[in-house]
Every structure is written in structure tokens, then in C-alpha cells.
Amino acid sequence: MWRLYHFTLCPFSRKVRFALAVKGVTHELVQERPWEKRPEFTAMNPAGQTPVMRRSDLGGTDLILCDSVAITEHFEEALERTPLLGATPEARAETRRLVAWFDQKFYAEVNAPLLAERMYKRAVLKGAPDGGMIRQAGRMADMHLDYIDFLLERRAWISGGQFGLADIAAAAHLSVADYLAGLEWDGHEPAKTWYSAIKSRPTFRPLLAERLEGLPPPPHYDKLDF
Amino acid sequence: MWRLYHFTLCPFSRKVRFALAVKGVTHELVQERPWEKRPEFTAMNPAGQTPVMRRSDLGGTDLILCDSVAITEHFEEALERTPLLGATPEARAETRRLVAWFDQKFYAEVNAPLLAERMYKRAVLKGAPDGGMIRQAGRMADMHLDYIDFLLERRAWISGGQFGLADIAAAAHLSVADYLAGLEWDGHEPAKTWYSAIKSRPTFRPLLAERLEGLPPPPHYDKLDF
């Protein structure tokens, strides 16, 4: 049995959870608050970050997977069903480019500041967020929604002709920014239409149902019509 | 023919160059200064970052690979010779975990501040670097060298039993920090012995021979005995 150590508002955990659901990998969930640096968690992943996956039914040593890219690449190699990277070298390169775009660029410009100000400072430290940081994250989020519109005016899915890991990565990161009231969807019809289709998927809905105690999302967060 | 758009002190470019040399992929080099945002470069990679690889001899559309992970995964899939990720799922997961460690953690804690202060502020803007930032990067670099020592006391290579992509990623990132005088090797014998072996490889030496105009490395930088 696989066990996934995740945090509800960690976009990398969400990417892995959505991918596992699409690929049909059953797993137990363990909620981890990485900033608490639980020794048993740091022993599994010295980087101290979610997500981590552990498989304990192998008889010998447990298999431990750290880092969301290592996890998704592992299941892409291990399970032929529902390939998420694409069929051709071109498609795979484009999917991986866009996964890196959301994991690195969207995360650094939008989710890292929103998580620091709205989640960590407010919900954990009970302090006041920095309004300037939040406004700057909102401006960057708008540029990212413009780029998603640009892509979706040229292709059916963010990954290309077919739904794939770039859609999963985008949905994971956008859903965290949306939970933290960092997205203004008006004026982004292609992105809205795409995200509404993602939200209606049974493999994505469990993520939208979760709440972090003391930090409710905005009312539109889990609605298909937003 | 492949063309690689790189920047001499970009650790992600160095990772790709070292990997291509080990795998024997011939390519032309184009030096790119990503902060200048050359329109032809941004058209290839909207993220505006090195490295980018382009193949123009395919007849139809050029194949463009953006992001160092997308590039190394592409060549791992395309060329069976000299596998760099490992033979088993466990080895591959460990290699990818450590590549992410250097690309994300070492980069954010050591190379990003060193490149900002010692390369961009000093060599490009001709300004004064922030000494506090540089000292903090040095403290983090020392913790990373401790972790490399810890790994190398338990295994032959950073990737595990065999040389692989985690060694390549580590060497790429460490070489940039070393160029920027950010590493204090004394007291890190396992890391030193490993890096001396890397430095002697004909596939790595061309990287050590390059210089950035106006920003010389410290005297020990390209010496095997340092």
C-alpha cells in the first residue's frame, strides 16, 4: 500500500494527488505540516517538503519517493495505463516544459507569496499579511491567466491535443491560488471554461472539498459556475 | 544538429552540458544572457530562461526543448546509451530526488543569491554586492557540503552505486558556487575527493575552462588539487 504525505494547500501535493487519482493509484493520505519539521518526516525527506510517497508492502526496504517530479515520473514509468506525458517526444517535451512553468514560475510568482502571507502568516502565526506582496502576486496571477488563455486559444488542453500532466500541474497550482483568493477570473474566458471542466472531474473534486481550519476559501472556490 | 542556448554561469545550463557530453550528444553552443530578454530567445522559451535546446534538421517543425529537466529526461528517453538515471525504480527515484535537491534547494539557498550579488550586481550592474547575503549563502553552502559528505560516506557516488545525473547536477551547481568564491572546501574531504574526480573528467573540463569577462574565478577553481 502506498501512503502519501501531503499538505492540503501544497500545490505540489495537489499535483501528485490529482495525477494519482487519474492513474487510479490507491493510497492512504497523511496530512503533514512541513514547517513543524516532524523528525519522522525529515528522516524520510531531508529537504523537509511535501509531497512524499512511501510504499511499505514490499517485504524488504520501503520505497520512498520525494519531490513531485520524481513521484510523477515514477508512476509514468511504472504504470502504462493513462499516460500523462504524451505519446511523442515533442508532446512530452511540451508537457514537461509547462509542468516546470507552473512548478517553478507560477509557484515563485503567485503561490509562494500567497502561501507565505495568507496561509502561513495569517493562519499559523496569526499575524497581519503584507498587502503589497499580495497585490503583486495578484498582478502576476493575471499574467499567468493571460498565458493560459493564449495557450487554450491554440489547443484543446494545456498539455496539447489531450489532457495530461500540464493540465494537472496547472489545476493544482491554480486551485491553491484560488483557495487563497488570489485569482480574478473575469476576462479570462478560455481559462475559466477549461477550469470549469477540470472542476467537474470526479478525480479532482475531492481536492476542492478539503478545508484548512481557520482559513476558508472564497465562496466561488468549489463552484462549477464561477 | 542540436543547438544549445546556455549561459556560462547558469547551473542548469551546466547540468545539461555535462549530461550531453557524457551521453555523447554533439551540439553547437550559443551564449545567451537571459536578462537581456532577446526577442528571438523569448519566442523559443516564454519563461526566458536558459537552457534551451533546438533541433533544426528534422525537415518539418524544429524541436525545441525548454527547462533542464525536460531536456535531460528527453535524452534519457531518446538515447539508450549511458543511462544517467539508474537501472531500478529505487535508483531512479533517488537520482531524481537529488537532482531536485540541487536544482531547487541548493540553487535557492546558494547559487541564486551568489549569482544575484556577485554576478548580476557586480559584473552587469557594476554595483556593490550585499555582504550579508553572500555570508548567508556561504553558511548554506557549508550545510550542503556537509550533506554531500554524509552521502559520500555511505555510497560511491552521489547518485548511488554508479555515477549518474545526481552527480552531474551536484557538479554543475557546485562549480557555479565555486566560480563565485562561495565554497570553503576545507573540512569536507569526501566532497573534495569526489569533486576532484569529477574535475578530471574530459566531459567536465571544458566547463571549467570558460570565463565570464570581468569576473574571474578564484585561483583554485579549475585545479584538480584544491
Side-chain angles (χ1 to χ4, degrees):
Chain A
M1 173 55 108
W2 284 103
R3 185 173 286 186
L4 174 67
Y5 298 80
H6 78 109
F7 172 64
T8 291
L9 290 186
C10 162
F12 305 95
S13 300
R14 286 186 172 218
K15 181 180 69 169
V16 165
R17 290 175 68 186
F18 191 12
L20 293 175
V22 171
K23 282 187 104 73
V25 180
T26 53
H27 56 280
E28 286 175 3
L29 284 175
V30 180
Q31 180 88 225
E32 190 69 43
R33 307 189 343 148
W35 60 90
E36 293 181 350
K37 300 182 193 296
R38 198 167 59 86
E40 295 83 358
F41 183 65
T42 313
M44 285 193 295
N45 184 7
Q49 291 165 338
T50 48
V52 170
M53 281 194 86
R54 179 172 198 146
R55 184 168 183 178
S56 308
D57 58 354
L58 295 169
T61 316
D62 287 5
L63 176 56
I64 298 176
L65 309 176
C66 304
D67 178 69
S68 71
V69 170
I71 295 172
T72 52
E73 293 282 351
H74 172 84
F75 286 103
E76 191 75 0
E77 289 174 356
L79 302 173
E80 282 184 25
R81 63 173 182 261
T82 332
L84 294 176
L85 286 171
T88 64
E90 291 76 10
R92 297 167 76 80
E94 178 66 355
T95 299
R96 289 196 178 105
R97 173 182 84 84
L98 286 164
V99 170
W101 177 284
F102 289 102
D103 283 355
Q104 293 165 27
K105 200 167 166 62
F106 189 94
Y107 179 73
E109 294 171 352
V110 182
N111 276 339
L114 286 178
L115 284 165
E117 300 302 325
R118 286 221 161 112
M119 191 277 290
Y120 192 69
K121 266 199 202 169
R122 198 160 76 182
V124 180
L125 303 180
K126 314 288 179 197
D130 178 331
M133 291 279 282
I134 290 173
R135 280 189 297 279
Q136 174 61 11
R139 281 189 291 269
M140 298 310 288
D142 208 57
M143 289 175 52
H144 281 280
L145 287 172
D146 280 343
Y147 186 56
I148 293 170
D149 289 341
F150 168 88
L151 292 173
L152 291 170
E153 280 159 359
R154 285 155 182 82
R155 48 178 83 168
W157 295 96
I158 292 178
S159 305
Q162 294 200 299
F163 173 87
L165 195 60
D167 297 274
I168 289 172
H173 283 278
L174 285 168
S175 71
V176 170
D178 205 29
Y179 190 110
L180 296 169
L183 299 182
E184 175 52 61
W185 290 96
D186 282 354
H188 298 288
E189 284 311 313
K192 252 178 112 158
T193 305
W194 165 86
Y195 192 49
S196 186
I198 296 281
K199 278 177 151 180
S200 70
R201 293 198 165 212
T203 45
F204 192 68
R205 292 207 60 77
L207 290 173
L208 294 179
E210 282 185 16
R211 296 293 177 268
L212 195 71
E213 173 108 14
L215 189 67
H220 74 264
Y221 169 70
D222 56 2
K223 296 205 170 50
L224 295 185
D225 184 17
F226 53 101
Chain B
M1 172 56 107
W2 284 102
R3 185 173 285 187
L4 175 66
Y5 298 80
H6 78 108
F7 172 64
T8 291
L9 289 186
C10 163
F12 305 96
S13 301
R14 287 186 172 219
K15 182 181 67 169
V16 165
R17 290 176 67 186
F18 191 12
L20 292 175
V22 171
K23 282 187 103 73
V25 180
T26 53
H27 55 280
E28 287 175 1
L29 284 174
V30 180
Q31 180 88 225
E32 190 69 44
R33 302 177 3 138
W35 60 89
E36 294 181 350
K37 298 184 195 294
R38 198 167 60 86
E40 295 82 359
F41 183 65
T42 313
M44 286 193 295
N45 184 7
Q49 291 166 337
T50 47
V52 170
M53 282 195 85
R54 180 172 198 146
R55 185 170 182 176
S56 307
D57 57 355
L58 295 168
T61 316
D62 287 6
L63 176 56
I64 298 176
L65 309 175
C66 304
D67 179 69
S68 70
V69 170
I71 294 172
T72 53
E73 292 283 350
H74 172 83
F75 286 102
E76 191 73 3
E77 290 174 356
L79 301 173
E80 282 184 25
R81 65 174 181 260
T82 332
L84 294 176
L85 286 170
T88 64
E90 291 77 8
R92 298 167 75 80
E94 179 64 354
T95 300
R96 289 195 178 105
R97 172 182 85 82
L98 287 164
V99 171
W101 177 284
F102 289 101
D103 283 356
Q104 292 165 29
K105 202 169 166 60
F106 189 94
Y107 179 74
E109 293 170 354
V110 182
N111 275 339
L114 286 178
L115 284 165
E117 300 302 325
R118 288 221 160 112
M119 191 276 291
Y120 192 70
K121 266 199 201 168
R122 199 160 73 181
V124 181
L125 302 180
K126 314 286 178 197
D130 178 332
M133 291 279 281
I134 290 173
R135 281 189 295 280
Q136 174 62 12
R139 281 189 291 270
M140 299 309 288
D142 207 58
M143 290 175 53
H144 281 279
L145 286 172
D146 281 342
Y147 186 55
I148 293 169
D149 289 342
F150 168 88
L151 293 173
L152 291 170
E153 280 159 359
R154 286 156 182 80
R155 49 178 82 167
W157 295 96
I158 292 178
S159 305
Q162 295 201 299
F163 173 86
L165 195 61
D167 298 275
I168 289 172
H173 283 277
L174 285 168
S175 71
V176 170
D178 205 29
Y179 191 110
L180 297 169
L183 299 182
E184 174 52 60
W185 290 96
D186 281 354
H188 297 287
E189 285 310 314
K192 254 178 109 158
T193 304
W194 165 85
Y195 192 49
S196 185
I198 296 281
K199 278 176 151 181
S200 70
R201 294 197 166 214
T203 46
F204 192 67
R205 292 208 60 78
L207 289 172
L208 294 179
E210 281 185 16
R211 296 292 177 270
L212 195 71
E213 172 108 13
L215 189 68
H220 74 264
Y221 169 69
D222 55 3
K223 298 207 168 48
L224 295 185
D225 184 17
F226 54 100

